[in-house]
Amino acid sequence: MSRKNRNADEMFDRRMFIAAGVGGVVWATLAARFFQLQFLDAERYQGLAEANHVKLVMAPPERGQILDRFGRPLASQRQAGRISVIPEQMSDPEAVLNRISSLIDLPDARRIRLIEEIRNARRRNSAFLPVIVAQELTFEEFSRMQVHAVEMEGVDVQMASTRSYPRGRDFGHVLGYVARASGEDLDRLTTGLAPEDARTYQEMFRHPDMRTGRQGMERFAEDWLRGRPGRRRVVANAHGRPLWELEQDPKQAAIPGKDLYITIDAELQRVAIDRFEGESGAAVVIDIENGDVLAMVSTPAFDPNGFVNGISGADYALLRDDPRAPLYPRAHGGVYPPGSTFKMVVATAALEAGVIKPEERIRCPGHYRFGNRTWHCWKRPGHGAMNMHDAIKQSCDVYFYEIARRSGVEKIAEVSRKFGFGQSWVLGMTGARGGLVPDPEWKQKARGEPWFEGETLNFGIGQGQLGTTPLQLALMTARIAATGAPIRPRMIGLGPVDEDDAVLDAPLDREIMERMKAGMYGVTSEGGGTAYRSGDLGLGGPRLAGKTGTAQVRRITAAERATGVVRGGDAIARELRDHALFVAYAPADNPKYAISVIVEHGEGGSRTAAPVARDILAAAIRMESGRTPEYARRASTAPEPEAGEPA
């Protein structure tokens, strides 16, 4: 063999030896790893494999939207970043929370509360339910947590569904708000359910995505809006962290809640709020043809978005202690003396009782003597001889003292209730109040005292114990404008039925109502009318008919009258100034809309409240345009129920 061939063979042998050695090492390593996995670490990996399994997790339903009459969203769902933890999957909750706080802003006080909440969950055997750590994450916080969540036990970072109120304060008192279910909520929501169903709902309401209605439409329509929970099949890793979803069983899918349509026009609501220009007060607009409430304004108001994820004690204290009372639902829960806006009710009572003829004149010298007391007219020199039309037009107090005395308290109270006073018109909201229609029976029960005839005189001009809401005043005006038709207000266009106990079945006398309408037209369109300058709607023709009112919030002493009553300006504290009221309907010759407005401490109804009402009514007429509400279209195109199904 040549030297050259021998060298080649030796090189080949060395390479084979090296390759065999490398191969042997590789195989030995694989064998060792196999031995480790199969024998040394078998128990550990078997546990991990068993933990990597399919789980059924709660799938909360999507809450239905609340929409205005034209389908514009007032309450809906949106996506927001959220961090939650599962207590049973955390061996060291404090360490996990410390790690989270190094990645996002998590205050010490919040971290301490979370540790206690996790401990409580373990004590009450609900450690399998998620606990929310933080919500409304910024994009940077969400991205950072997504990267590091895999390093932490029991941590879940995801985009979650949350309730949103895109119009903010505009509908705070109408819609109310949603919040996490409290123990009291769970008791209320599960009462009467079978034990298994009650457990399911308790689990659902502990889910971090679930909220329940606390006030307003959100609470009234809870069953309609909520939907039914389902289950999702997910593959979870050893730490219980969901890795991916499996194909869902349609029978286990969550059923979303139904949409709720209300009768309010969101754009008209915004116009009305803007028109108050920062004043405190309320306005209610009613469609005279069908009783739809088109605007329900209480201002100032609160933003329901601040309650969805829990409001802090400090923020709630700011709302609670605000002297302008933004939590107070003035439009349907605020009780005020109606002042002179109530005079049409008194005139109706007098005509029904037959104690006066419309043409009879009563002389007004500026005061009215009864017993040993003197009642004063707002016009100190007096109005002279007044018939009913002129008395409404010029709001003569002396005229109404006299016809109230003739009619008697029982008759005025009876007619007041025909107009809807004294009744709580709930309309699907919370906080509604019925006000007070006083009479001798009420006074005896409430105070143990008899009724004095002098109190009837105060009743006759809308003062004294009489208390009304802006909603009731708008309803009164709508009934007058509709020539006595028994209109019922409503605010739910498509949704659960508002089974309100308040009923107006009896029509009012058409001839009497025509006289009331003529008097209200005189207020705004005839010389001497107390709101003559507010009659023109600025629409090139249509006018409004209305009635002014001023409600006292303090007692005026005889000494003050002798020196001249101080009405307002800088001479008197704002909280002691009179409330300004105005009720109206338009167009005057073909009534379509009725309104009531109260401006708290606004002093004069003609000066402060009437221009607000005029501008809102003008906007309502401009916006009309013959549009059909969305809920009416939905109802007309809804499929007929199949045989055997409830209609």
Side-chain angles (χ1 to χ4, degrees):
M1 180 181 294
S2 67
R3 184 181 181 88
K4 182 177 180 181
N5 290 337
R6 189 167 51 252
N7 290 339
D9 289 340
E10 289 174 356
M11 184 178 293
F12 178 80
D13 290 340
R14 285 196 299 272
R15 289 176 176 173
M16 286 295 294
F17 179 80
I18 293 170
V22 171
V25 170
V26 171
W27 282 106
T29 301
L30 291 173
R33 180 61 174 161
F34 180 81
F35 181 82
Q36 180 187 18
L37 293 174
Q38 290 294 318
F39 298 97
L40 300 181
D41 294 335
E43 186 175 347
R44 174 179 174 235
Y45 284 101
Q46 182 177 355
L48 291 174
E50 289 175 354
N52 198 43
H53 62 288
V54 175
K55 296 177 65 176
L56 280 177
V57 299
M58 172 64 68
E62 188 88 348
R63 194 171 180 86
Q65 297 184 95
I66 302 178
L67 306 121
D68 85 337
R69 68 190 290 107
F70 298 117
R72 292 175 288 226
L74 309 177
S76 56
Q77 300 297 115
R78 64 178 176 82
Q79 297 294 305
R82 185 188 67 205
I83 305 169
S84 59
V85 296
I86 308 295
E88 70 177 4
Q89 298 170 9
M90 304 169 72
S91 59
D92 189 351
E94 192 166 352
V96 171
L97 293 174
N98 288 338
R99 176 68 173 132
I100 292 174
S101 66
S102 70
L103 298 169
I104 67 167
D105 181 21
L106 189 65
D108 291 342
R110 173 67 177 158
R111 192 163 68 250
I112 292 169
R113 286 197 302 271
L114 284 167
I115 291 171
E116 184 62 27
E117 190 173 345
I118 291 168
R119 289 172 181 163
N120 289 337
R122 288 173 167 172
R123 282 196 291 266
R124 61 175 180 254
N125 297 320
S126 59
F128 61 94
L129 295 172
V131 172
I132 296 176
V133 175
Q135 302 182 97
E136 305 290 340
L137 300 179
T138 65
F139 176 77
E140 292 76 12
E141 289 173 333
F142 183 78
S143 301
R144 197 180 308 129
M145 284 300 304
Q146 279 281 66
V147 170
H148 294 283
V150 70
E151 306 165 1
M152 294 175 275
E153 293 178 320
V155 176
D156 186 26
V157 182
Q158 60 182 211
M159 296 299 291
S161 179
T162 188
R163 197 63 160 171
S164 174
Y165 300 95
R167 303 234 170 201
R169 291 178 174 82
D170 286 9
F171 288 89
H173 293 295
V174 173
L175 304 181
Y177 60 89
V178 296
R180 295 293 300 274
S182 64
E184 181 182 341
D185 292 326
L186 288 174
D187 290 341
R188 171 174 56 86
L189 293 164
T190 57
T191 297
L193 295 179
E196 183 178 345
D197 292 336
R199 285 192 295 271
T200 298
Y201 273 85
Q202 286 174 353
E203 180 185 353
M204 176 182 70
F205 277 110
R206 290 193 180 104
H207 192 283
D209 284 349
M210 280 304 298
R211 299 290 185 272
T212 184
R214 282 286 180 82
Q215 286 187 6
M217 291 285 180
E218 291 279 25
R219 175 159 179 165
F220 172 80
E222 173 65 30
D223 292 343
W224 179 275
L225 294 165
R226 182 175 60 230
R228 285 170 47 192
R231 298 282 179 179
R232 295 185 298 120
R233 297 170 64 240
V234 300
V235 175
N237 64 14
H239 298 294
R241 180 181 173 83
L243 298 176
W244 65 83
E245 288 193 21
L246 298 175
E247 185 177 352
Q248 301 302 308
D249 180 352
K251 295 180 180 179
Q252 293 184 319
I255 299 176
K258 292 175 283 189
D259 290 344
L260 171 71
Y261 285 83
I262 66 174
T263 63
I264 290 181
D265 182 338
E267 295 306 317
L268 184 62
Q269 181 93 347
R270 170 42 42 192
V271 167
I273 292 170
D274 286 344
R275 188 57 188 80
F276 271 86
E277 299 176 342
E279 295 281 358
S280 300
V284 178
V285 180
I286 293 179
D287 187 320
I288 294 167
E289 292 181 358
N290 53 26
D292 281 1
V293 176
L294 303 179
M296 174 77 78
V297 171
S298 295
T299 182
F302 64 91
D303 187 346
N305 288 297
F307 288 81
V308 174
N309 294 319
I311 188 169
S312 70
D315 287 343
Y316 184 78
L318 288 175
L319 291 172
R320 181 196 62 210
D321 300 334
D322 188 326
R324 297 180 66 215
L327 296 175
Y328 184 37
R330 291 168 168 83
H332 62 290
V335 178
Y336 305 89
S340 294
T341 62
F342 189 70
K343 287 176 177 174
M344 285 82 70
V345 177
V346 180
T348 300
L351 291 174
E352 280 195 6
V355 297
I356 195 169
K357 299 292 185 183
E359 299 78 16
E360 181 183 341
R361 292 187 175 273
I362 295 172
R363 182 174 172 275
C364 170
H367 60 273
Y368 185 85
R369 291 286 299 175
F370 182 77
N372 60 356
R373 284 193 57 190
T374 301
W375 278 259
H376 295 269
C377 186
W378 70 267
K379 188 174 182 180
R380 194 166 183 176
H383 288 92
M386 291 275 105
N387 62 20
M388 183 170 285
H389 180 85
D390 290 337
I392 293 173
K393 180 175 73 174
Q394 299 187 44
S395 201
C396 175
D397 292 333
V398 168
Y399 181 93
F400 285 94
Y401 292 141
E402 174 61 18
I403 68 170
R405 185 192 63 77
R406 294 185 192 180
S407 302
V409 58
E410 287 90 352
K411 183 61 181 178
I412 300 174
E414 174 198 328
V415 173
S416 298
R417 296 184 181 102
K418 288 183 182 180
F419 278 99
F421 293 109
Q423 302 187 42
S424 299
W425 298 97
V426 177
L427 307 186
M429 297 177 291
T430 52
R433 297 173 68 187
L436 176 63
V437 176
D439 58 22
E441 182 182 357
W442 162 82
K443 191 178 180 189
Q444 189 63 47
K445 286 182 179 179
R447 300 186 176 180
E449 298 174 355
W451 183 270
F452 299 109
E453 198 165 6
E455 294 176 275
T456 305
L457 305 188
N458 279 336
F459 197 180
I461 61 166
Q463 295 284 171
Q465 302 300 322
L466 177 63
T468 64
T469 68
L471 173 58
Q472 292 169 346
L473 289 170
L475 177 60
M476 173 201 75
T477 309
R479 294 210 68 188
I480 293 172
T483 325
I487 295 171
R488 284 175 57 89
R490 68 168 188 161
M491 200 183 291
I492 295 176
L494 184 61
V497 177
D498 172 26
E499 297 177 352
D500 206 312
D501 292 335
V503 177
L504 290 181
D505 289 331
L508 294 160
D509 185 276
R510 288 185 60 86
E511 184 178 346
I512 293 176
M513 291 303 99
E514 289 289 4
R515 290 190 178 278
M516 298 305 105
K517 291 167 69 174
M520 293 177 69
Y521 184 78
V523 169
T524 61
S525 302
E526 295 176 5
T530 54
Y532 181 74
R533 289 176 296 179
S534 295
D536 186 358
L537 289 165
L539 300 176
R543 297 185 67 83
L544 65 81
K547 182 70 187 77
T548 56
T550 302
Q552 290 180 203
V553 298
R554 66 191 179 97
R555 185 174 180 275
I556 299 173
T557 66
E560 187 177 354
R561 287 195 184 278
T563 59
V565 177
V566 178
R567 288 292 180 186
D570 296 334
I572 186 172
R574 180 173 178 79
E575 63 271 15
L576 297 178
R577 300 174 192 171
D578 296 340
H579 297 320
L581 297 96
F582 191 70
V583 298
Y585 62 86
D589 58 350
N590 182 26
K592 174 65 176 173
Y593 306 108
I595 190 172
S596 70
V597 170
I598 179 166
V599 180
E600 291 183 353
H601 310 297
E603 301 185 271
S606 61
R607 183 174 66 255
T608 308
V612 173
R614 176 197 61 208
D615 293 347
I616 296 172
L617 285 174
I621 293 171
R622 283 196 302 269
M623 291 178 179
E624 181 183 7
S625 304
R627 293 182 294 173
T628 301
E630 179 65 19
Y631 62 77
R633 284 199 291 268
R634 295 263 178 166
S636 66
T637 58
E640 292 292 329
E642 296 181 7
E645 291 186 350

